[in-house]
Amino acid sequence: MKFVTSQTKIEKIKTDALVVLTSKTLNKSIKHIDKNLNGVITKMIQDGDFSGKNISTCVVRNASKNIKRLILVGKEEGSSVQDRIKLIELGASNILKSYITNAHWVIDDTYEAWEIEIISRSILKINYSFKGNSKSSLSKLDLVCLNDYSLSNTETSTQYGEAVGRGMNLCRHLGNTPANICTPTFLAEKAKSLSDENTCIKTTILEESEMRDLGMLSLLSVGNASAQPSKLIVMEYNGSKTMQQPIVLVGKAVTFDTGGISLKPGRGMDEMKFDMCGGASVLGVMSALSEAALEINVVGLIPAVENMPSGNATKPGDVIKSMSGITIEILNTDAEGRLILCDALTYANRFKPKYVVDIATLTGAVIGALGKFTTGMLSNSEELAEILANCGNSSGDRVWQLPLWKEYDEQLKSNFADLANIGGEAGTITAGCFLSRFTKDYKWAHLDIAGTAWISGKNKGATGRPVPLLMEFLRSQVN
C-alpha cells in the first residue's frame, strides 16, 4: 500500500475512485469539484441520494470520463472526533474493494492535521487480515490538496498515520497469533528482530535465572507451572538528541491465561490468548516510534509468562516475595497480571523515568464499568492522568479515570502478608491500588484495556488499542 500527496488540479485526476467529504452546504473547494463534474454533487443532494449528514454516503458511477467512482461521505460542521473518525473509516472502507486499484482523497482547508493522520491509519487498519487474504486491490492512495493546503503538512500527517496504523497492526497480529506459537520466547524473538531492523532500539532479554537473582519472585510465580520459560523483555528506544528522562511503558504479556489453579471456565477461554495485548501494544508502539522517528527516549518493559495449572503451580494461600520486598498473599491465581506487573514496575525505577504507564488486560470488572468502548485509567498523578485523557480524546482512543481512594486500598489487607492480590468489590480499582503500592517513586498511570484490546463474536480479534493513545501521549512529550 503506497500513500502519496499531490496538488493536482481536479480536472487532471484520473482515478478508480475519488473520495470527497462534505456537508449538504458545499464549501469553496467542493463547489469547484462540483462545477468540474457538471454539478453531480448538487444533483445527488437535490434528488435526496446524499444527505450530507455525518456518516451518510453515496457512490456515483462514472462521475466523469476520468473518474470511475465519486464517493461522497457526509461530514457536518462541528462533528465530534469520534464521528469524524467513523466517517473517515467509512470513506476508507469504500475504496478497499477488489475492483479499485488506485484512489484519490480530496484534502481541503476544512481538514485538521489529525484527520489526515486518521486516513492512512484507517486504510491500514481496515485492510489488515490475519490470514493475509484481504479483498482489497488498492495499491496507491493519492491525497490531493486543494486551495493550496500545505503539501508538506499533509505528507507529514500521512506518514505519522502510517506509522501508527502499522504499529496497531503489529499489535493486532501478535494478539491474534495462537498461543501455541505466540509464547514468551516468540515475543522475545520479535522484540529482538525489531531492534535488528531499527538501530534506535536496543533490546535485552532477562531470563528466569537473571530475574531470580533480582528477586522477581512474584513475576516468576505466575509461570512456575508452564513448560514455557518466562521472560522480561527490555526495549530501549533512544530517539532524543539530548539526555532526557525516558518514559517507561510496561505491557502485561500473559501469552495464555488458564487462570492457573483458580481455573477459568472453559467457555471463551480461547480468547485468553489476548491476555498479552498489553505487551503487544508496547511492541506496536516501539515499531511506530521507529517509523515516525519521534525525538524522545522510551523504555518498553514486557513481562512475558504463560499461566498454567500443574503440580508446581502457585496455589491460593501461598505467600510470595516481590522484587520490592513487599510480600503478597495469593488468594486467586487468576489475578496474575498484577503479579508480573509489580516486579516490572519495580524494575522500571532503575531508568529514573519521567513517567511510567502500564498497559494490561487486567480485570473483567472494567468491562462491567465501562463496556468495550473506553479504557479504564488509574493514576497517582493528576498531571499525567490529564495528559493521557487529553491524548485519548484527540486520538479517538479514549480513557476514563477511576479513583485510587484509601477505602479501596484497605480491601487488600492480609493476615499473612503485606497485602493480598485481590480485594473485594470494585475489582478494577483494587487492582490499581495493588499496583500503586509499587509506584511510590515516580508518576504512574495504569491502563486497564481488558475491554478495549479485543472484540468477541464473528469479528473476533485484537483491536490494536491503545497504540494510538500511547503514540499521541509520547508525541505530546517531545520537546
Side-chain angles (χ1 to χ4, degrees):
M1 181 76 65
K2 184 178 180 181
F3 296 90
V4 299
T5 58
S6 69
Q7 285 186 316
T8 311
K9 292 182 179 179
I10 193 71
E11 52 267 30
K12 292 185 177 181
I13 292 175
K14 186 175 182 179
T15 186
D16 286 345
L18 179 70
V19 181
V20 175
L21 272 54
T22 182
S23 65
K24 189 174 182 179
T25 303
L26 308 186
N27 64 30
K28 182 180 178 181
S29 300
I30 308 305
K31 283 180 180 178
H32 174 70
I33 295 171
D34 189 41
K35 181 179 178 181
N36 275 273
L37 297 180
N38 299 315
V40 67
I41 300 175
T42 300
K43 181 173 174 54
M44 290 298 104
I45 293 171
Q46 289 176 344
D47 291 351
D49 293 296
F50 178 63
S51 68
K53 293 183 178 179
N54 277 340
I55 320 176
S56 60
T57 188
C58 175
V59 180
V60 182
R61 295 297 304 272
N62 300 314
S64 74
K65 183 175 68 173
N66 292 327
I67 299 174
K68 291 183 180 179
R69 296 165 190 85
L70 172 66
I71 299 172
L72 300 173
V73 179
K75 177 186 175 181
E76 296 177 273
E77 186 177 347
S79 53
S80 68
V81 170
Q82 297 302 127
D83 276 343
R84 281 188 278 179
I85 290 174
K86 287 178 184 177
L87 62 90
I88 289 170
E89 289 182 343
L90 177 60
S93 64
N94 268 286
I95 58 176
L96 291 171
K97 309 291 185 182
S98 61
Y99 45 80
I100 296 177
T101 60
N102 70 91
H104 290 66
W105 193 300
V106 171
I107 305 295
D108 61 26
D109 52 15
T110 65
Y111 276 79
E112 296 180 43
W114 70 265
E115 291 177 281
I116 300 171
E117 296 168 3
I118 297 295
I119 295 172
S120 50
R121 180 179 115 185
S122 296
I123 294 285
L124 292 170
K125 171 188 167 186
I126 296 168
N127 199 42
Y128 166 82
S129 168
F130 178 74
K131 295 189 289 186
N133 59 347
S134 171
K135 295 179 181 179
S136 169
S137 298
L138 187 68
S139 59
K140 186 177 79 168
L141 175 65
D142 189 335
L143 287 84
V144 184
C145 303
L146 299 182
N147 285 352
D148 296 323
Y149 191 94
S150 173
L151 191 62
S152 61
N153 289 347
T154 300
E155 185 174 6
T156 299
S157 296
T158 301
Q159 290 172 349
Y160 178 81
E162 284 184 77
V164 175
R166 275 191 269 271
M168 290 179 72
N169 284 351
L170 173 59
C171 174
R172 293 166 74 192
H173 203 74
L174 291 170
N176 291 337
T177 301
N180 60 318
I181 298 171
C182 187
T183 63
T185 299
F186 179 91
L187 288 179
E189 290 172 350
K190 185 63 184 178
K192 286 179 180 177
S193 70
L194 273 176
S195 60
D196 289 342
E197 296 163 7
N198 300 280
T199 56
C200 54
I201 299 177
K202 174 188 172 184
T203 295
T204 307
I205 309 299
L206 272 63
E207 304 294 345
E208 288 186 343
S209 59
E210 296 169 281
M211 289 187 276
R212 192 168 287 109
D213 289 343
L214 288 168
M216 294 184 169
L217 303 182
S218 181
L219 189 160
L220 291 171
S221 73
V222 178
N224 275 350
S226 174
Q228 300 293 335
S230 300
K231 310 281 185 180
L232 179 62
I233 301 165
V234 183
M235 304 181 74
E236 298 175 67
Y237 171 83
N238 296 301
S240 175
K241 297 174 183 176
T242 60
M243 295 294 291
Q244 290 183 355
Q245 283 182 280
I247 292 172
V248 178
L249 305 178
V250 182
K252 171 191 170 185
V254 179
T255 57
F256 195 79
D257 182 20
T258 65
I261 295 299
S262 305
L263 193 67
K264 292 178 179 288
R267 183 179 177 87
M269 197 193 284
D270 62 290
E271 295 188 8
M272 287 301 97
K273 70 176 184 176
F274 297 121
D275 209 21
M276 44 65 69
C277 282
S281 73
V282 173
L283 283 162
V285 166
M286 285 294 172
S287 173
L289 277 173
S290 301
E291 186 173 341
L294 291 190
E295 294 185 3
I296 189 172
N297 295 332
V298 180
V299 175
L301 300 179
I302 304 172
V305 303
E306 186 179 66
N307 187 21
M308 300 289 282
S310 83
N312 60 337
T314 300
K315 307 173 293 297
D318 286 358
V319 174
I320 58 174
K321 189 176 183 180
S322 68
M323 182 182 178
S324 69
I326 295 173
T327 58
I328 304 164
E329 182 185 9
I330 310 301
L331 298 182
N332 189 322
T333 64
D334 194 23
E336 84 300 329
R338 64 203 71 183
L339 299 179
I340 68 173
L341 287 172
C342 70
D343 279 347
L345 289 167
T346 300
Y347 189 82
N349 205 38
R350 65 179 51 202
F351 296 99
K352 297 180 172 53
K354 179 180 180 181
Y355 299 121
V356 176
V357 179
D358 79 71
I359 311 102
T361 51
L362 208 63
T363 67
V366 77
I367 304 174
L370 298 173
K372 303 286 282 186
F373 302 106
T374 308
T375 292
M377 176 179 66
L378 298 102
S379 180
N380 64 9
S381 165
E382 286 305 311
E383 168 199 312
L384 176 56
E386 184 177 357
I387 294 169
L388 285 166
N390 290 336
C391 290
N393 291 335
S394 59
S395 66
D397 190 4
R398 294 175 293 182
V399 301
W400 189 261
Q401 187 175 6
L402 298 168
L404 278 176
W405 293 339
K406 183 174 67 175
E407 291 84 353
Y408 295 108
D409 186 78
E410 289 174 352
Q411 295 184 46
L412 297 172
K413 287 181 178 178
S414 166
N415 291 340
F416 308 105
D418 295 323
L419 77 165
N421 76 324
I422 58 170
E425 301 171 335
T428 301
I429 297 174
T430 54
C433 290
F434 178 95
L435 295 177
S436 72
R437 298 283 190 100
F438 303 87
T439 63
K440 303 295 186 183
D441 297 328
Y442 48 72
K443 295 175 181 178
W444 156 83
H446 161 61
L447 302 177
D448 193 333
I449 60 170
T452 54
W454 80 91
I455 55 176
S456 304
K458 67 176 183 177
N459 295 319
K460 180 169 63 177
T463 63
R465 295 177 68 185
V467 171
L469 163 65
L470 294 171
M471 283 297 292
E472 188 67 17
F473 165 59
L474 295 173
R475 184 166 59 165
S476 76
Q477 298 303 302
V478 175
N479 292 333

